[in-house]
Every structure is written in C-alpha cells, then in structure tokens.
Amino acid sequence: RHALHKMADNSVRTEDNINPLAHVDLSKPRYDQSNYIGRAKHFFEVTDPRNVIATTKQLEQAKEIVLAHKAGKTPPGTTEEQLWHAKKLHDSAYHPFTGQLMFLPGRMSFQVPGNMVITGCMLTFYRTPAQTIFWQWANQSFNSGVNYTNRSGDSISLKQLLVPYLSATVGAVVTALSLNQLAKKLPPLVGKCVPFTAVAAANCINIPLMRQTELKEGILVTDKDGTTFGSSKKVAKRAISMVIFSRIIMAAPAMIIPQVIMNSLEKRSKFIRASPRLQALIQVLSVGLCLTFSTPLCCALFPQQSSISVAKLEPNLQEAIAAKSPATKIVYFNKGL
C-alpha cells in the first residue's frame, strides 16, 4: 500500500511538472503562413506602431520570457496570450540572427510612423528643386537605414551599403526633377503623383543593388522539409521582382490617395491652399492611415517561403534535384522583405 501511494505521489508530481504551454512554438509565426489572411495577421503584428513605445525594460522582459520558453522553462503563471505578446515585442525589436537590439528607426514597427512623416512632407514639398532633392534624399536615407538594420547576420561592407543608397537617391532625384518639369504643362493632380513615380523608380534601383550578391550567386532552394538542393539565379530574379512589386504596391495607396484628397480640399478651401504647414499635417495623417493598412497587407502578398516548379530552374539544378530527389517537383525559397 505504501509503495502504491508513493507511485501515485510521483505520478502527480510528474504531471505537475509538465509544461501546459509546451505546444506553443515561438520559433514560428503565430498564424498560418500558407494563406493570405494568416500572412496579413502576422504582418499586422510585425508592423504594429505600438511596439515602438515599448520601454527597454518591457523589451528585456519579453526577451527573457521567449528565451525561457524556448529552453522549456516557461515562467510559472504565464498564459498563452502572454507568450505570444512577448514574442511580438521580442521579434519587433531584436535582430533574428544576431539577437541584438535593433536601431529604433530601422525596426519594422517604425515603418508607419517614420514613413508617414517623410512621405507626407515629400508629397507636400515638391514644387522646388531644393525641396524635391531634400525629401527624396531623406526617404532613401530612411530606406537604407531599414535595409541595413534588417540585414542578415553577415557584415556588409561600406561599398555594399553606399552603392545602392547613392544610386537609389540619384535615381529618385533625377526622376522627380525630370517629371516635375514635364508636369508643369499637365493638370495639378498629375504633378502631385511625381513623388510616387520617383519612389517606384528608386525601388527598382535600390533593391536589386542591395541584393546583387543573390543575383550573382543565386538563392538557396529546398524541399518542404528543408533539404537544400543548391542555389538558383532564376529564383533570385523571381524573389527580387516579387519584393519590388510589393514595395511599389505598398507605397501606392499612401502616395496617391492623400494626393487625391488634398487636390479636392485645395479646390474648396483657400485657407488650406495658402497654408503649406496645414497641407503637410493633413498629408502626414492621411499617409499614416493608408500605411497602417497597406504596409502589412502588401508585405503579405507573397509567402515568405515562396515556391517554384523545378521545371523553371536552371538545367543543371534540375538534374541535381532529379538525382537527389526524383519525386520533388516543387522547391521553396526565402523571398526576403
């Protein structure tokens, strides 16, 4: 009887020691990434501007909870919702590869507040060459800061950083100045869309240059279980094209809708027409509203782990895959952000 009582007691202790939240995998996104709704929910959390106001203490506490849970030592009393909130804060502030606290303006959660100010002013102050040059430079400087902050764990040389930055800045400025001259003969609303065209042109320059190593060496392709087959330059072109498309579509609502609204307001109100500061305020707020939705919704357009048919790869890579895994017809790759 004593032995049975001891076994029962040990059984209770074992059950008490089982982590009830062990099923929560914080190494993966909370929502299903195989469908658009799941990806959209994920990016709404990643780009949530409220993450910016989290204090250093709150970020450190979130990091402790995440690391403890991954080590199988979830703090007692922690709920599943608290775990996911800790992951949200942790992922918004700490670099995924180095684990270091990222520079605030470079975090994804700073995209909306940072871009709304720069874009709002870029849409308001574009009529003189000096204004165009300054705000296009400010925009490309911010973008380069984001790209550098969210780089992979590998170090980036000064040349690798400066060439895309300077090329994109020059491209955006030249495009904007040239179109401003042409737009003088066109309706005012057409002129207001010049900044968007310049930003689109800059994206077409900046992103390929920033990822030129991938274009030269290719991007790794794997099967659904993560088995690597090799690198593909065709996949690199596909991935970069997807990112450029997403970035341009992301900028479109925030750079076109506010301009349509402002054009209508200027026609109806002399006061607004005569006050550049008020125009800037209206533009910043309307841009912020658009970006709050367009940023996560456009980031979610394509799966982070995208796929491609083996038949569309380079012949030598097709042969390697056929030899290693004949049943594999679809491979996967990380498209980047």
Side-chain angles (χ1 to χ4, degrees):
R1 185 181 300 176
H2 177 70
L4 288 173
H5 178 74
K6 188 174 182 179
M7 289 175 63
D9 183 57
N10 288 337
S11 176
V12 171
R13 289 180 183 176
T14 302
E15 289 177 4
D16 288 342
N17 290 333
I18 295 176
N19 184 353
L21 297 176
H23 65 282
V24 179
D25 187 357
L26 296 186
S27 65
K28 299 178 180 178
R30 181 176 187 176
Y31 305 103
D32 182 8
Q33 298 299 286
S34 65
N35 61 75
Y36 179 75
I37 298 299
R39 294 195 298 272
K41 288 181 177 180
H42 169 68
F43 280 108
F44 266 108
E45 289 201 341
V46 171
T47 62
D48 188 345
R50 293 175 297 180
N51 293 338
V52 172
I53 62 176
T55 64
T56 302
K57 183 178 180 181
Q58 289 174 320
L59 294 176
E60 290 175 349
Q61 289 175 339
K63 183 177 182 179
E64 290 174 2
I65 293 173
V66 169
L67 294 180
H69 179 74
K70 287 182 177 180
K73 301 176 181 178
T74 309
T78 304
T79 65
E80 182 171 343
E81 191 59 37
Q82 288 173 331
L83 273 183
W84 286 118
H85 181 69
K87 173 180 170 58
K88 175 183 173 182
L89 285 181
H90 174 271
D91 291 358
S92 75
Y94 292 95
H95 195 281
F97 297 110
T98 66
Q100 296 178 340
L101 189 65
M102 293 186 287
F103 182 50
L104 179 61
R107 299 176 194 171
M108 287 301 292
S109 54
F110 196 79
Q111 282 289 288
V112 171
N115 268 320
M116 65 185 282
V117 174
I118 293 174
T119 304
C121 290
M122 186 163 52
L123 296 178
T124 304
F125 307 109
Y126 66 91
R127 292 179 175 84
T128 69
Q131 290 176 341
T132 298
I133 292 171
F134 176 80
W135 288 109
Q136 290 294 340
W137 165 79
N139 185 52
Q140 293 309 317
S141 297
F142 178 73
N143 289 340
S144 294
V146 172
N147 289 337
Y148 179 75
T149 302
N150 292 278
R151 69 195 184 284
S152 67
D154 302 328
S155 59
I156 296 179
S157 68
L158 186 62
K159 180 180 179 181
Q160 288 176 308
L161 183 65
L162 287 180
V163 170
Y165 165 58
L166 294 175
S167 300
T169 302
V170 171
V173 169
V174 169
T175 301
L177 291 176
S178 301
L179 292 179
N180 275 341
Q181 290 298 317
L182 294 174
K184 289 180 178 179
K185 301 177 181 179
L186 300 173
L189 184 58
V190 176
K192 290 179 181 292
C193 292
V194 167
F196 168 67
T197 308
V199 167
N203 275 323
C204 294
I205 297 170
N206 187 309
I207 296 172
L209 286 174
M210 186 64 73
R211 298 177 64 176
Q212 57 185 299
T213 301
E214 295 174 14
L215 288 171
K216 294 176 182 177
E217 300 177 5
I219 288 179
L220 286 174
V221 295
T222 69
D223 63 13
K224 61 181 180 180
D225 297 319
T227 303
T228 302
F229 294 119
S231 297
S232 168
K233 294 180 182 178
K234 287 187 176 181
V235 165
K237 293 178 182 178
R238 185 186 185 97
I240 291 172
S241 297
M242 293 162 74
V243 171
I244 291 174
F245 178 77
S246 296
R247 294 277 186 96
I248 292 175
I249 296 299
M250 186 189 304
M255 300 193 77
I256 295 176
I257 294 175
Q259 293 292 59
V260 174
I261 294 173
M262 183 55 64
N263 189 59
S264 177
L265 291 175
E266 286 179 349
K267 289 180 178 179
R268 299 180 182 183
S269 173
K270 292 181 179 180
F271 179 69
I272 292 178
R273 193 162 56 245
S275 177
R277 291 184 180 180
L278 181 58
Q279 292 176 29
L281 177 61
I282 295 172
Q283 294 273 36
V284 167
L285 294 176
S286 55
V287 166
L289 180 62
C290 291
L291 285 174
T292 299
F293 294 94
S294 69
T295 300
L297 292 177
C298 291
C299 281
L301 284 176
F302 303 104
Q304 191 64 36
Q305 287 296 121
S306 294
S307 61
I308 185 173
S309 170
V310 172
K312 295 181 179 180
L313 301 176
E314 293 87 340
N316 61 324
L317 190 54
Q318 290 184 40
E319 293 173 5
I321 294 173
K324 191 174 183 179
S325 178
T328 300
K329 303 301 179 184
I330 300 292
V331 290
Y332 301 86
F333 60 94
N334 190 327
K335 72 172 179 65
L337 280 176

